[in-house]
Amino acid sequence: MLLGAAFGFGLVVALRALSGLEIFQTEQTGYPHVVVPLITAPFGFLFGFGAFDYWFRWAAGKPTIPDDHADHGATRWQDYFKFNTDHKVIGIQYIVTTLFFFLIGGLLALLIRAELAQPGAQVVAASTFNGLFSTHATVMIFLFIIPIFAGLANYVVPLMLGAPDMAFPRLNALSFWLLPIAGIIFLASFLAPGGAFDAGWTGYAPLAGGAPLGQTFFNIGVQFAGASSIAAALNFLVTIITMRAPGMNLWRMPLMVWAQLATSLLVVGATPFVAGAQFMTLFDRVLGMNFFNFLEGGDVISYQHIFWFYSHPAVYIMMLPGFGIISEIISTHSRKPVFGYRLMALALIGIVVLSYSVWAHHMFVSGMFSWLRVPIMISTMLIAVPTGIKVFSWLGTLFYGKIHTYSTSMLFALAFIVTFTIGGISGVMLGMIPIDIHVSDTYFIVAHIHFVLFGGSVFTIFAGLYHWFPKMTGRMYDEKLGRIHLWLTVVGTWMTFVPMHWVGMDGMPRRVADYAAQYGDWNLVVSVSAFLLGAAQLVFLYNMIVSWRFGPKAGPNPWRANSIEWQVSSPPPMYNFDEIPRVVGGPYEYGTPGARHAIMGDDEGAAVPEPKPTTVAAS
């Protein structure tokens, strides 16, 4: 990494000297001796890590070195800090790394709420405040919510498919190691002259074009985070399409797999747009181009169209994996098949298709073509239909089920349904043109996105972590601490974000470090609740860390689930299965005598009883 940075620095110095220019350029949007090393240092890190060894030998026409699988699997804790091709190790690397960034993002949020607890300057200056909320949002979206779902899926999807690993193990490892690079770049922006990037996580032009050097850190960091997402998504698509166990057709796949399939289609189709928008902004800033410079013929509004053509699908990239997690948990802990399984799977694909048609509802007040508002409003209302199908299906699964609430994962799943539904209602409101115009750029928007992303995505993340913790670690967590974490999180979430709706409707603007005194009381309530919400996560961390080391040993299947990952030991063997399982039925046939999802290698000779239909009598 240091050699890569030195190479970039030396390259700039040499080229400027040969060109007769000043050796060092220090204009606010210049700093090539910083920008170029910011690009070359990560490649130096990857080169030193051996990421290019195979490809360079192949490109040079030399014989490639056969893989001896020495970097596959973990036998000690130090192996989690090395290059590893085992999807289970990579999944845990993703999860632990993203939880670290979750803590960083949470600390930034608490600094924001400390400043906003009362009107006036409290903790930080206004310019620093802009950097705090921009970095908070960027870290939470690009370094926590999106990649932690990739981590959970990395661990469980190959097991659910009956596959020994992901399709491209080396690419899988590379997709993870790109992530901390992006995180370091984002956080290092605080050290740049002028402070961290401060144009929000959206990085709107022309504001971003004239921002301090820290904005360039954002433009470059997004490229590495986006490359990580695309590499992981391509790997999931190939794995799901080509590596299913014998007998597992599409209609026998667990909904978690369907959700990851849909998410990967979104990532591959949409992420290049945000990469393109940031490249164009970067070229405007450091190369003097004019993609978004209106005075030189650029089109400012086009930035928002390009950005939101990614970023509204990105909302579903942050939601669809959670839908799959909730489907698994609710079916398992209500002991019932998923209600409307096929419609649930089709609803996931429907969300993928419709998500590309609603991007401009973020732009009703941007100055875009006024005629575009009505069709976008209609498509926004329409995309609520497949989402509503999923909520209806979860409720149908719970109806007449034997609901078990002893598991913290099930409690988080139930809390998710309630909280996400409330957040979804405010989303329907924002899809309506008159309401959106009234509350645009107010705290109503902040309340909605946090209700959906924290009360939605993060609740599903916690549910998934609790659900698969025994499988990943071979240990059970403390359910009492899990319940404390649940209730503190639910109360903290509602008390933090519900009042934001009210002050937003009254006109409190977002993205400001100071505000009118009339909003002071509710902001104090919000800030105190935010610190309660932050403290709740310390309970979660303590529970996970201590339970991983000292928790009671877990059996292979503590939840009595049907899907394949629960039919092997906890944690699973290095290559998952001694023999590839044979799938003979659906994954949710609870309550059907004799029904089985898969026959494992040691059960190969076992007869598969013919399932008998059952009925539920209503009294």
Side-chain angles (χ1 to χ4, degrees):
M1 181 175 67
L2 293 175
L3 288 174
F7 170 78
F9 184 85
L11 183 64
V12 171
V13 169
L15 291 177
R16 293 185 70 83
L18 289 173
S19 304
L21 300 173
E22 294 182 29
I23 297 300
F24 298 107
Q25 181 192 6
T26 57
E27 286 84 358
Q28 191 178 49
T29 56
Y31 296 102
H33 59 284
V34 176
V35 174
V36 174
L38 199 61
I39 298 171
T40 57
F43 284 100
F45 170 79
L46 293 174
F47 178 82
F49 216 59
F52 302 112
D53 289 358
Y54 183 93
W55 299 334
F56 281 171
R57 293 182 66 87
W58 174 81
K62 296 181 179 179
T64 56
I65 301 173
D67 188 2
D68 62 358
H69 303 285
D71 54 5
H72 190 92
T75 56
R76 52 182 186 159
W77 65 268
Q78 291 94 333
D79 292 332
Y80 289 93
F81 293 88
K82 300 177 181 178
F83 184 89
N84 206 299
T85 55
D86 186 349
H87 73 96
K88 300 181 291 299
V89 175
I90 294 170
I92 291 176
Q93 287 175 324
Y94 261 110
I95 291 168
V96 174
T97 303
T98 53
L99 286 175
F100 169 77
F101 286 120
F102 174 59
L103 293 180
I104 298 295
L107 289 173
L108 296 175
L110 294 182
L111 285 173
I112 293 168
R113 288 316 316 174
E115 173 59 39
L116 294 174
Q118 288 289 277
Q122 311 291 327
V123 180
V124 297
S127 58
T128 305
F129 179 88
N130 292 342
L132 287 175
F133 81 73
S134 300
T135 311
H136 159 72
T138 301
V139 167
M140 286 300 200
I141 291 171
F142 291 112
L143 301 179
F144 173 57
I145 295 180
I146 292 176
I148 197 170
F149 280 131
L152 283 166
N154 235 303
Y155 199 100
V156 302
V157 164
L159 289 164
M160 287 180 159
L161 292 172
D165 206 325
M166 294 282 280
F168 306 117
R170 283 196 181 98
L171 183 65
N172 200 21
L174 177 63
S175 71
F176 163 72
W177 285 104
L178 290 171
L179 195 66
I181 291 173
I184 292 170
I185 292 173
F186 287 142
L187 297 177
S189 67
F190 281 100
L191 304 176
F197 55 92
D198 59 1
W201 79 276
T202 55
Y204 276 170
L207 178 62
L213 175 62
Q215 191 65 39
T216 301
F217 284 66
F218 173 80
N219 300 142
I220 295 173
V222 167
Q223 307 302 333
F224 287 99
S228 171
S229 293
I230 292 173
L234 288 170
N235 216 344
F236 281 122
L237 287 175
V238 176
T239 302
I240 293 169
I241 293 170
T242 67
M243 296 185 66
R244 301 190 304 273
M248 181 173 285
N249 58 35
L250 293 179
W251 299 118
R252 286 177 173 175
M253 293 195 311
L255 286 171
M256 175 69 178
V257 180
W258 272 103
Q260 197 57 44
L261 175 66
T263 303
S264 299
L265 290 171
L266 277 177
V267 170
V268 172
T271 306
F273 286 89
V274 72
Q278 298 314 312
F279 268 131
M280 287 189 281
T281 305
L282 180 66
F283 294 160
D284 279 4
R285 289 173 53 81
V286 302
L287 298 181
M289 294 186 178
N290 298 299
F291 288 107
F292 308 121
N293 185 348
F294 177 76
L295 297 178
E296 299 293 336
D299 186 354
V300 175
I301 299 298
S302 66
Y303 177 91
Q304 293 193 37
H305 281 293
I306 298 168
F307 179 85
W308 286 114
F309 199 74
Y310 159 77
S311 292
H312 196 81
V315 173
Y316 296 103
I317 292 170
M318 294 183 276
M319 290 305 312
L320 294 184
F323 291 168
I325 290 170
I326 295 302
S327 299
E328 300 297 322
I329 293 171
I330 285 181
S331 177
T332 298
H333 292 287
S334 63
R335 314 308 300 169
K336 271 189 64 181
V338 171
F339 181 81
Y341 164 82
R342 292 200 176 199
L343 195 57
M344 283 280 274
L346 293 174
L348 288 165
I349 304 302
I351 290 173
V352 171
V353 174
L354 290 172
S355 68
Y356 289 103
S357 68
V358 299
W359 82 95
H361 71 213
H362 297 273
M363 301 173 56
F364 284 159
V365 297
S366 68
M368 68 176 185
F369 297 121
S370 57
W371 60 264
L372 190 56
R373 291 173 173 174
V374 172
I376 291 295
M377 179 180 69
I378 294 171
S379 64
T380 301
M381 299 298 104
L382 187 61
I383 203 171
V385 174
T387 308
I389 287 172
K390 306 198 77 60
V391 175
F392 180 80
S393 175
W394 293 323
L395 295 177
T397 304
L398 291 168
F399 189 69
Y400 273 117
K402 302 294 185 183
I403 300 174
H404 295 161
T405 57
Y406 56 78
S407 167
T408 305
S409 61
M410 182 61 166
L411 295 175
F412 262 110
L414 298 175
F416 157 79
I417 293 176
V418 177
T419 308
F420 177 72
T421 302
I422 299 298
I425 290 173
S426 65
V428 173
M429 294 168 63
L430 289 172
M432 300 175 184
I433 298 170
I435 297 177
D436 183 87
I437 291 174
H438 174 64
V439 300
S440 182
D441 272 334
T442 71
Y443 259 69
F444 192 92
I445 308 294
V446 180
H448 164 68
I449 192 171
H450 283 84
F451 232 78
V452 171
L453 290 186
F454 200 98
S457 298
V458 178
F459 277 26
T460 66
I461 289 166
F462 286 139
L465 290 174
Y466 281 113
H467 185 63
W468 282 294
F469 181 85
K471 181 56 57 181
M472 295 179 184
T473 66
R475 303 277 182 174
M476 298 299 295
Y477 58 85
D478 189 323
E479 291 287 0
K480 290 183 179 179
L481 289 177
R483 288 170 183 267
I484 293 172
H485 173 228
L486 164 84
W487 288 113
L488 288 177
T489 300
V490 170
V491 172
T493 299
W494 282 68
M495 290 297 294
T496 300
F497 302 122
V498 168
M500 289 184 181
H501 291 89
W502 303 332
V503 296
M505 290 291 286
D506 285 342
M508 179 177 170
R510 62 173 174 165
R511 303 192 183 108
V512 294
D514 197 7
Y515 52 87
Q518 70 190 75
Y519 306 121
D521 292 341
W522 277 122
N523 269 285
L524 181 60
V525 172
V526 169
S527 293
V528 171
S529 302
F531 276 86
L532 172 66
L533 182 59
Q537 310 322 310
L538 299 179
V539 178
F540 166 75
L541 285 176
Y542 175 83
N543 194 2
M544 296 295 100
I545 294 171
V546 174
S547 297
W548 196 337
R549 180 67 179 87
F550 301 107
K553 289 189 176 181
N557 193 359
W559 313 130
R560 297 186 297 129
N562 285 348
S563 48
I564 298 176
E565 81 271 23
W566 298 106
Q567 313 311 317
V568 296
S569 62
S570 299
M574 185 174 293
Y575 290 98
N576 297 347
F577 309 99
D578 295 326
E579 295 183 35
I580 297 298
R582 180 163 58 92
V583 178
V584 295
Y588 307 115
E589 300 301 321
Y590 298 104
T592 303
R596 299 181 69 176
H597 176 46
I599 296 176
M600 308 306 289
D602 53 358
D603 293 336
E604 196 63 40
V608 181
E610 187 69 25
K612 298 179 180 179
T614 58
T615 59
V616 178
S619 57

